[in-house]
Amino acid sequence: MEGIFDNGTAWHSITASLFQGSSILVLIAAVLRLFIKPGRMVQGIDASLASGTLVVFGSVVALFFAVLATITGIWMTWGYAATSTISLTQNKTMFATYGILALVVLLLVRWKFGPGLWKDRSLTTAYVSMAVIQGIAAGVNGSLGGEAGLLGTVLDPVWRVLNVETTGSMVLPTVGAAGLLAVIVAGVVAVVVWRLTTKGGLESSSG
Amino acid sequence: MTLRQRLSPSKRRVTMLAGLLVGVTSTLLVVSAGMAATLPSSSSTFSQGPIAQIVEENVELIDVLGYKIARDRIAIPTDWGEPLTKEMSIQTAYNGEDIWFRAKFPSPRPGVLHDALVFEGGEWVKRGKSDVGSVENFLYEDRFTFHVDDGSVRGFATQGCGAACHEDLRDPFTYAAPSKEEVSQNSYFANVKKKTDTRHYIPDSRVAGEDWWDVSWDGISESDAPKIADLKEQGVFLDQWHWRASRGGPMGVSDDMWVLDYRNGDAGKSAYSTNFDKETNLPKKMFDPAKTGIAALRWEDVLDWNIDLNGAYYLAADTMKDFDPDYAWKEGDVIPRRYLRTPEGSRADITSRSSWNDGWWTVEMRRAMDTGNPDDKAFTPNRVYNIAFAFYTSGTGNRWHYVTFPYTLSLTQLADIQGRFFSGDEPNWTSVPESTFTAFYPGQATWQYITSDEHPGAPAVRADSRSCSSCHSEEQVSKLAVGLELRGEREAGRPLTWVAGLLGIVGIAVSGIILRRT
């Protein structure tokens, strides 16, 4: 509990930044892997293969730092009593568990099915969905951390559009906001599936 | 043959897509519904209704979750149409003899009426009392107050009025207010203070638990009286300036108080007294028709807020006479339950001038820089003081006020509020710098809360090392405070939200695995 004034905040900032940075990298790499044609060479490197590798590598790093960020956040910065009573920190822990779970599932899918998963639309969709979910969860987490520290975040405009109060319980104030979110995510899924039905994204054999 | 085998590849794709869409959308809607279910009960229309709804709808919920916040003490400014934060400004001037404070703060209506006696069914019935949130019909006066500390009160420079704001102050402050019986059983309150309620006190006035900040109202006994006297003599107390729109304002005086073991009135006599004879159940005073043209106000005018601020709305020497029970009283006649009188002694040190215009109060308070009284803080050049402000509007009392973070004040040194010297008897306010602050609704963020493990910044409060403003903005802290008050309602859907989200993630993955073709 005394950690907040004994560098707890610093440790949490470092670990959380590495977690979120890795998570965003995973998200970007997974989406790129979806769109890059297999065998596409960029400066002598197979971009498709590299993207797939980055997803795995980034996920391992993100998971490691996510656990560290949780430890430093709950026990070194806020204290368990505060974390479990303040809505803002409860939001953070909730989204952290979403992100961690998505990372774990992503790695399990990759471990179970190997690089061949990119050949199957269903597995690919699930795999990329996990990458997207953990990336969004990490982004939300970082944004809430910025709000907690009065720093503001790049997601401020998003919160304003969605009319979400970050110090509150992340309550979606209207069904319209929920519908908007649903449409956005459904749209992303539709794009992913649509892309999967075309040739390019399905022909790679390695990840 | 499995379902997957029965379907053609194209149908499987469609099924997969539809399943994913339905899954994701359903998950989001379930999550949203869980969150929406946690919306607080609130209304922009004033009445006691929203408050009662909160009690009735959620009291069981609180018991289930075990939250310590009592729902029957909850009301937030939005319930009576007020925001969580308000702007205010302060100017300070001095001429070597006297010091002036000029405050401006918003109030939707001039709360110049306090409690009242209404003639109903042949009896005089009391209307208006300190209650949870905005009092019915706004029958509670507007007030402006501030504490001055010269650096002697621990916790004030960093936490401001939070150092004097405890969960166990008199009902209906929070869930922890002691009963009159409990207070009466405390030897200090029974024999020294002769009081049956608890009011503001500073941590140093109590015998602490494990550390100086670990205090409660009953950490004091009769044997501590010499210690309290010593602290008073050493100047370990807060000087409280307290302008009341009804109980003093109309007479051009402001209450003068101090906070140490209790919120004490300065020595002398206050500017108001109770206008009710308990033996006869009749008012003591009434409006003098010969002086004011009326014997009483009318209840419908009070309800419509049809009050002439330049006319007779208060009882004082220039407007009242002894009550005449034989007067032809009519149903709905209203007489203020307080009458004003000339204050005396140190209690009369502060004079005031006030006006309400277009939704804003302007209040000027004037006092000798050094009154020579032991219950006042003297203002001297070259010294820096800590000061924090509060004001009450819309018929609120108790903790339902707006407060500011602590600021520094000095007449000659660099400070947040800079006093301006002038020659003469009246400052020219246009040449006095104006400091603008944001005041916020503090909820139940009491001293006990901010020093508890539930407050992430507790180590700094305990160490008296950082101001609340170093971690919070006014807007943020008010939202956090409301969030704490309503956490039972707002967090009720958390488990469902959490589980739904986790299941949604697993569901997507499992769907992908089940529908795989390889």
Side-chain angles (χ1 to χ4, degrees), chain B residues 40 97 148 178 204 237 260 281 296:
Chain B
E97 292 292 325
V148 180
D204 279 336
F237 65 88
L260 172 55
N281 284 330

Side-chain angles (χ1 to χ4, degrees), chain B residues 3-316:
Chain B
L3 174 65
R4 193 163 67 84
Q5 290 169 327
R6 287 206 300 269
L7 295 175
S8 66
S10 60
K11 286 183 178 175
R12 281 210 299 270
R13 276 200 299 275
V14 172
T15 305
M16 178 190 74
L17 175 59
L20 280 172
L21 285 173
V22 170
V24 171
T25 307
S26 301
T27 301
L28 281 168
L29 289 176
V30 169
V31 170
S32 304
M35 289 181 163
T38 68
L39 274 170
S41 301
S42 183
S43 168
S44 58
T45 306
F46 167 76
S47 77
Q48 297 300 311
I51 301 165
Q53 283 167 21
I54 287 174
V55 175
E56 291 169 9
E57 290 177 3
N58 299 296
V59 67
E60 289 300 320
L61 189 64
I62 302 318
D63 290 344
V64 170
L65 294 179
Y67 286 112
K68 290 172 67 181
I69 303 294
R71 286 308 187 249
D72 59 355
R73 301 290 192 280
I74 286 185
I76 57 177
T78 49
D79 285 333
W80 50 92
E82 292 259 52
L84 296 181
T85 60
K86 288 185 174 184
E87 298 297 308
M88 62 154 286
S89 69
I90 195 80
Q91 294 169 281
T92 306
Y94 67 104
N95 64 2
E97 292 292 325
D98 289 348
I99 186 168
W100 281 256
F101 289 91
R102 184 180 192 241
K104 293 179 187 172
F105 63 96
S107 175
R109 61 193 67 75
V112 294
L113 298 179
H114 203 54
D115 45 4
L117 298 167
V118 184
F119 196 64
E120 292 179 7
E123 292 184 345
W124 290 95
V125 179
K126 181 184 176 184
R127 296 288 183 197
K129 65 171 186 173
S130 179
D131 206 345
V132 174
S134 181
V135 174
E136 188 176 15
N137 303 314
F138 306 110
L139 282 177
Y140 210 82
E141 66 188 347
D142 284 357
R143 290 186 277 165
F144 177 78
T145 181
F146 59 88
H147 286 128
V148 180
D149 164 48
D150 55 10
S152 59
V153 175
R154 270 200 287 188
F156 190 83
T158 55
Q159 306 307 313
C161 300
C165 173
H166 305 265
E167 66 180 8
D168 43 25
L169 300 186
R170 64 173 167 167
D171 204 50
F173 201 80
T174 67
Y175 60 92
S179 66
K180 286 184 178 180
E181 291 72 28
E182 288 175 301
V183 178
S184 299
Q185 288 168 10
N186 180 282
S187 61
Y188 186 78
F189 281 84
N191 303 326
V192 180
K193 300 306 292 181
K194 303 189 186 310
K195 299 287 185 184
T196 58
D197 63 8
T198 53
R199 302 199 188 183
H200 292 300
Y201 61 88
I202 61 174
D204 279 336
S205 70
R206 297 304 195 262
V207 176
E210 292 184 357
D211 212 335
W212 72 277
W213 46 266
D214 183 15
V215 295
S216 62
W217 75 274
D218 56 353
I220 192 169
S221 63
E222 190 173 3
S223 62
D224 293 316
K227 170 194 152 187
I228 297 298
D230 281 347
L231 289 173
K232 171 83 178 303
E233 194 172 331
Q234 293 165 28
V236 183
F237 65 88
L238 300 171
D239 193 1
Q240 185 184 82
W241 296 40
H242 198 136
W243 174 82
R244 303 169 187 272
S246 177
R247 292 177 291 175
M251 283 188 60
V253 294
S254 177
D255 217 342
D256 194 357
M257 313 185 87
W258 57 283
V259 175
L260 172 55
D261 53 334
Y262 191 81
R263 191 190 69 174
N264 303 280
D266 280 15
K269 196 169 78 173
S270 73
Y272 56 92
S273 185
T274 301
N275 181 31
F276 191 69
D277 188 330
K278 289 181 179 175
E279 292 185 359
T280 62
N281 284 330
L282 294 172
K284 296 175 182 174
K285 307 288 182 182
M286 60 182 277
F287 287 101
D288 186 345
K291 296 175 182 172
T292 63
I294 57 171
L297 302 172
R298 292 293 305 161
W299 184 237
E300 56 269 24
D301 289 336
V302 172
L303 294 180
D304 293 342
W305 215 251
N306 183 24
I307 306 297
D308 180 6
L309 296 182
N310 297 314
Y313 62 86
Y314 60 92
L315 295 176

